[in-house]
Each structure stands twice: as structure tokens, then as C-alpha cells.
């Protein structure tokens, strides 16, 4: 007979629980959770919150970069381009005024000398303004300014020497004047033109970049909105509930961000395009026309000083005025209600009158009537070259002022249109994330 005590031993056997649960089943627990409805709703909530935050962050980031470009354009690039064209114009005016003063034989009127001094001062101010506005990394522009400054000092020294000799009645004064004018026309103005052109190109490039719609930001926002709508449809079918307030609020917030972004970026892009087409492009062209007119004036004065013996001055005058007339004609043909239409029309009439007066002046020089030619060149009469040229320069300056004002106004509009969007997009993205949580959390609670 078997006795229970016969089988007792001193060993205690413990049950290993791990052998009752398969390791694979333990590892697949998270998979079974994700396959369940609560798991799917949790993943859906995470994805929607991430999409909402991504829409806000991407929109804010893109807009912030855009705002920095426009602000740089408004406070730096445009002012530097203006300084470049002011420098170019002041140099041309100084050259024309210096040449004009020699026709009076050392006793030039006060207004002529003041015009030269004013032009020299304007050129110096433009050099300082441009130097302060050039970024430290722009070595080319800094080198151009340095060379212009050095050469301009040499030019003013030659003009001072020429004036001193002219007052003393030394014929060598004309030689110094020729050297100074050659330095200005052959070296200084080309350097200034290159600086001016480079800055206008930089402005145009930045404007082109700011007139493009940010497709990436709009696409992310639209995708987030679509995801929210689809999520609401899915949750409606899953829970048998028609409305989910949290998701509806999130969808409305995202739709508001999309509409706001499209409207703001659209207004900004339109204003930027207007600043380029109605401001920068015609402004650059008319700046060139004014500079050509200043150079033609210097050519005319040199021709009178040489008593018509230098055919090159006449060739240069004809070339400069022809190109200026072509630019003004193109502006009139292409303009569609530009703010500069009226002064450009006045400039065209003044240029035609100036060229007619110059033809009479040249006829007098050919006939040996130097006093008559000089009187027509610098005389006070309304039909004289001085009056005609002054009317042309004043009309061009008025046109430039109007175009610059229109460009600045359009750039400010482009900046203000999207100014609140950076912060607004982030706020909407965060609120949308909370709304998503508020919409899905009640459905999750139903499974607890």
C-alpha cells in the first residue's frame, strides 16, 4: 500500500510562469492594440495633431523667411540701389556742370558753380550711404565703391586745377578739363554704372522670389485639412455618431488658415509684382535715361568749348540722346496708367525741344558764330539749351520720385499683407491640435 509520507522529499518545486505564456504573444501585444479600434483612434489622433502642427509650423517658417526678404528689400536692397543711382546721377551732373562753367571763361554764374558743388556733395553723400548699406560679405560692391571714391577724388582735383588755370587765362585749362571728363566718362561712370546695375539686379531677384506663391506651405495646409475631413468621416462611420465637435472645430480652423494664407500670400505677391512692374523696371529705365541726358549735356558743352572742332562730342551727344529718346518712347508705349506718365510726356517734349535747340547751336558753330552758339548753350532764354535741358531733367526727376514712391508703397503693402501670419499660423496649428484631441478623446473613453 502506498503511503503519502513515502514520497516526501526536502525539495520545493516552483512553477515557472513564463512557460505558460508564449514569448511571441507577449511581443505582439502592441500589435493587437494597434489593430483594435482604440489603437487606431490613438494613431489617428497622433497623426492629425502632427499634421495640424506641421501646417502651422511650415506656414510660419515660410512666411517668416518671406518677411525677412521683403524687409531686407524695403530697408536695405532698395535703399542701396537708390544710393547707387543717386551716385551715378550726381557724378553725371557734376561732370555736366563742371564743363558748363568753362564756357563763361572763369566768371561762371553763381548758380552754375553751386550746381557743381551740390552735385559733388550729393555724390559724396551717396558714396557714404552706399558704403554703409553694403553687406560685409559683398566684397565686389565694396571694391567698386572704393575705386569710385578714389577716382572721384582724382577727378575733383583735375577740375580744381582746370578752374585755377581758367581763371588765370591759361589755355591748358581745357586740357585738364578734357582729362577730367575722360576720367569721368571712361572710368568713374562705368564703375558707378556697374554698381548701380548690380544693385538693381539684386532688387529684381529678391522681388521675383517674393512674388512666388509658397506652394509647399499651401500644400501642407491643404493636406492637413483633407486629413481632418477624412478623419471625421471615418469616425462618423465607426462610432455611429453624426457630428464630432472637436474635429469640426479643427477642420474649420485649418480651413481658416488655408483661406487666410491664400489671401495674404496672394495680396503680397500681387503687391510685389506691382512693385517690380510699376516701380523697379520703369525706375531703372528712367534712371538710365536721366544719366544719358546728363552725359549728353556734358558732350554738348565740350563741343561748344572746342568750337565744333571735335566731331566725337557731337557723335556722343547724338548717341546718348537717341538712346534716351528710345527709352522714353518705350515707357510711353508700354505704360498702362503709370504714375510717371505725365512727367514722362513732359520729358519727351523737353527732349525734342533740346535736340532742336542743339541743331541750331551746331549750325552756329559750323558757321563760326561761337558767341551765338555759347549764348544758345548757356543763355537764360526759354529756347536755349540750358532751359530745355533743365526742363528735361526736372521732368525725369519728377517721374523718378513718383515711381520710387509707388515702389515703396507696394513693397510696404506686400510686407503688411502677411505680417500677422507667422504668429497666427502657429496659434492656429496649436489650437487645431487641441481640437483634434477634444474630438477623439470622447470616442476613446467609450472603450474604457
Amino acid at each position: 500500500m502506498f503511503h503519502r509520507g513515502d514520497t516526501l522529499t526536502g525539495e520545493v518545486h516552483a512553477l515557472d510562469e513564463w512557460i505558460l505564456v508564449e514569448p511571441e504573444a507577449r511581443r505582439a501585444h502592441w500589435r493587437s492594440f494597434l489593430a483594435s479600434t482604440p489603437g487606431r483612434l490613438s494613431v489617428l489622433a497622433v497623426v492629425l495633431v502632427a499634421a495640424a502642427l506641421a501646417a502651422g509650423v511650415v506656414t510660419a517658417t515660410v512666411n517668416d523667411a518671406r518677411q525677412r526678404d521683403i524687409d531686407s528689400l524695403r530697408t536695405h536692397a532698395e535703399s542701396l540701389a537708390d544710393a547707387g543711382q543717386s551716385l551715378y546721377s550726381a557724378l553725371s551732373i557734376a561732370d555736366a556742370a563742371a564743363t558748363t562753367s568753362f564756357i563763361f571763361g572763369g566768371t561762371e554764374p553763381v548758380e552754375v558753380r553751386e550746381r557743381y558743388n551740390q552735385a559733388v556733395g550729393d555724390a559724396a553723400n551717396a558714396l557714404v550711404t552706399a558704403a554703409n548699406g553694403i553687406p560685409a560679405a559683398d566684397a565686389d560692391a565694396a571694391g567698386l565703391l572704393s575705386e569710385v571714391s578714389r577716382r572721384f577724388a582724382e577727378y575733383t582735383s583735375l577740375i580744381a586745377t582746370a578752374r585755377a588755370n581758367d581763371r588765370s587765362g591759361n589755355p591748358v585749362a581745357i586740357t585738364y578739363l578734357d582729362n577730367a571728363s575722360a576720367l569721368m566718362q571712361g572710368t568713374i561712370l562705368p564703375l558707378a554704372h556697374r554698381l548701380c546695375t548690380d544693385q538693381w539686379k539684386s532688387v529684381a531677384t529678391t522681388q521675383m522670389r517674393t512674388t512666388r506663391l509658397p506652394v509647399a506651405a499651401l500644400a501642407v495646409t491643404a493636406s492637413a485639412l483633407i486629413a481632418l475631413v477624412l478623419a471625421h468621416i471615418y469616425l462618423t462611420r465607426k462610432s455611429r455618431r453624426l457630428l464630432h465637435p472637436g474635429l469640426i472645430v479643427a477642420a474649420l480652423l485649418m480651413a481658416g488658415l488655408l483661406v487666410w494664407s491664400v489671401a495674404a500670400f496672394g495680396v503680397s505677391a500681387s503687391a510685389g509684382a506691382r512693385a517690380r512692374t510699376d516701380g523697379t523696371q520703369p525706375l531703372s529705365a528712367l534712371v538710365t535715361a536721366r544719366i544719358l541726358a546728363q552725359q549728353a549735356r556734358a558732350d554738348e558743352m565740350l563741343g561748344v568749348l572746342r568750337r565744333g572742332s571735335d566731331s566725337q562730342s557731337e557723335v556722343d551727344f547724338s548717341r546718348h540722346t537717341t538712346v534716351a529718346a528710345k527709352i522714353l518712347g518705350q515707357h510711353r508705349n508700354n505704360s498702362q496708367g503709370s504714375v510717371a506718365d505725365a512727367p514722362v510726356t513732359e520729358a519727351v517734349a523737353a527732349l525734342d525741344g533740346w535736340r532742336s535747340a542743339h541743331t541750331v547751336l551746331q549750325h552756329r558753330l559750323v558757321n563760326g558764330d561761337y558767341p551765338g552758339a555759347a549764348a544758345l548753350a548757356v543763355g537764360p532764354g526759354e529756347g536755349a539749351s540750358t532751359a530745355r535741358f533743365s526742363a528735361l531733367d526736372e521732368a525725369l526727376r519728377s517721374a523718378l520720385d513718383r515711381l520710387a514712391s509707388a515702389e515703396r508703397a507696394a513693397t510696404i503693402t506686400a510686407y503688411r499683407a502677411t505680417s500677422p501670419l507667422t504668429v497666427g499660423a502657429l496659434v492656429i496649428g496649436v489650437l487645431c491640435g487641441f481640437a483634434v484631441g477634444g474630438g477623439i478623446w470622447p470616442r476613446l473613453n467609450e472603450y474604457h
Side-chain angles (χ1 to χ4, degrees):
M1 184 175 180
F2 178 78
H3 297 282
R4 182 183 299 176
D6 296 338
T7 62
L8 292 176
T9 65
E11 298 180 0
V12 179
H13 293 279
L15 179 65
D16 291 332
E17 296 181 358
W18 66 271
I19 64 175
L20 301 179
V21 181
E22 295 182 5
E24 185 63 26
R26 288 191 293 116
R27 287 198 300 267
H29 177 71
W30 64 272
R31 294 179 183 175
S32 61
F33 171 74
L34 293 179
S36 66
T37 299
R40 291 175 181 176
L41 292 180
S42 299
V43 172
L44 180 62
V46 172
V47 171
L48 292 179
V49 170
L53 293 178
V57 170
V58 170
T59 301
T61 302
V62 170
N63 186 63
D64 184 61
R66 184 190 187 94
Q67 289 293 93
R68 285 199 302 269
D69 281 341
I70 298 177
D71 187 59
S72 175
L73 184 67
R74 183 182 60 172
T75 61
H76 171 70
E78 287 181 350
S79 61
L80 185 55
D82 288 341
Q85 70 92 5
S86 297
L87 172 63
Y88 200 152
S89 181
L91 292 172
S92 298
I93 293 172
D95 191 41
T99 306
T100 302
S101 66
F102 281 81
I103 295 180
F104 296 92
T107 58
E108 75 273 19
V110 175
E111 60 269 17
V112 175
R113 185 168 185 83
E114 287 181 349
R115 181 176 176 81
Y116 170 78
N117 292 335
Q118 181 65 41
V120 171
D122 291 342
N125 290 335
L127 282 169
V128 173
T129 301
N132 291 334
I134 289 179
D138 195 348
D140 290 339
L144 285 174
L145 273 180
S146 177
E147 185 66 12
V148 169
S149 180
R150 186 176 68 84
R151 294 290 187 174
F152 187 54
E154 183 180 347
Y155 170 83
T156 54
S157 177
L158 286 172
I159 290 296
T161 303
R163 286 179 179 275
N165 281 278
D166 189 47
R167 285 192 296 269
S168 301
N170 296 328
V172 74
I174 300 301
T175 301
Y176 281 105
L177 177 63
D178 287 342
N179 291 338
S181 184
L183 177 64
M184 176 65 74
Q185 299 291 334
T187 302
I188 300 176
L189 286 178
L191 290 173
H193 181 267
R194 180 181 166 189
L195 175 67
C196 186
T197 302
D198 289 348
Q199 298 309 317
W200 282 119
K201 286 181 179 179
S202 176
V203 169
T205 300
T206 305
Q207 286 178 333
M208 285 293 294
R209 188 165 59 249
T210 58
T211 55
R212 300 191 187 102
L213 288 176
V215 179
L218 298 178
V220 171
T221 305
S223 300
L225 176 60
I226 293 173
L228 287 168
V229 173
L230 294 178
H232 187 276
I233 295 174
Y234 168 79
L235 203 58
T236 297
R237 293 176 178 177
K238 202 73 177 175
S239 65
R240 306 296 182 181
R241 296 177 183 273
L242 184 61
L243 298 177
H244 304 279
L247 290 181
I248 293 175
V249 171
L252 290 176
L253 285 171
M254 194 56 59
L257 177 59
L258 181 60
V259 172
W260 185 12
S261 299
V262 171
F265 286 132
V267 171
S268 179
S270 176
R274 190 168 64 252
R276 186 181 75 255
T277 57
D278 296 344
T280 302
Q281 291 177 350
L283 187 64
S284 178
L286 292 186
V287 164
T288 301
R290 189 185 182 203
I291 290 168
L292 288 170
Q294 297 288 352
Q295 292 175 342
R297 178 61 172 172
D299 296 330
E300 183 179 52
M301 294 300 99
L302 282 175
V304 173
L305 281 173
R306 293 164 181 166
R307 300 174 182 265
S309 61
D310 183 13
S311 60
Q312 186 60 43
S313 297
E314 180 60 21
V315 171
D316 291 340
F317 176 89
S318 178
R319 175 170 55 86
H320 289 148
T321 53
T322 299
V323 176
K326 183 179 179 180
I327 292 173
L328 295 177
Q330 288 176 343
H331 179 88
R332 294 183 66 185
N333 295 334
N334 299 332
S335 176
Q336 298 178 352
S338 172
V339 294
D341 284 351
V344 167
T345 300
E346 296 174 2
V348 170
L351 179 58
D352 291 339
W354 183 27
R355 296 172 82 176
S356 298
H358 180 78
T359 300
V360 176
L361 184 151
Q362 283 297 114
H363 181 71
R364 291 182 181 181
L365 284 177
V366 170
N367 293 332
D369 185 11
Y370 175 74
L376 186 60
V378 297
E382 292 184 0
S385 290
T386 299
R388 300 287 188 178
F389 168 74
S390 297
L392 170 62
D393 190 63
E394 183 62 31
L396 289 175
R397 184 167 57 183
S398 176
L400 293 175
D401 289 342
R402 294 188 183 188
L403 289 173
S405 297
E407 181 187 29
R408 283 192 294 269
T411 303
I412 291 174
T413 300
Y415 182 83
R416 290 177 176 174
T418 57
S419 183
L421 187 58
T422 300
V423 176
L426 291 175
V427 172
I428 290 177
V430 172
L431 292 177
C432 189
F434 280 112
V436 167
I440 294 182
W441 183 253
R443 305 289 80 82
L444 284 173
N445 281 337
E446 294 174 356
Y447 292 90
H448 290 170

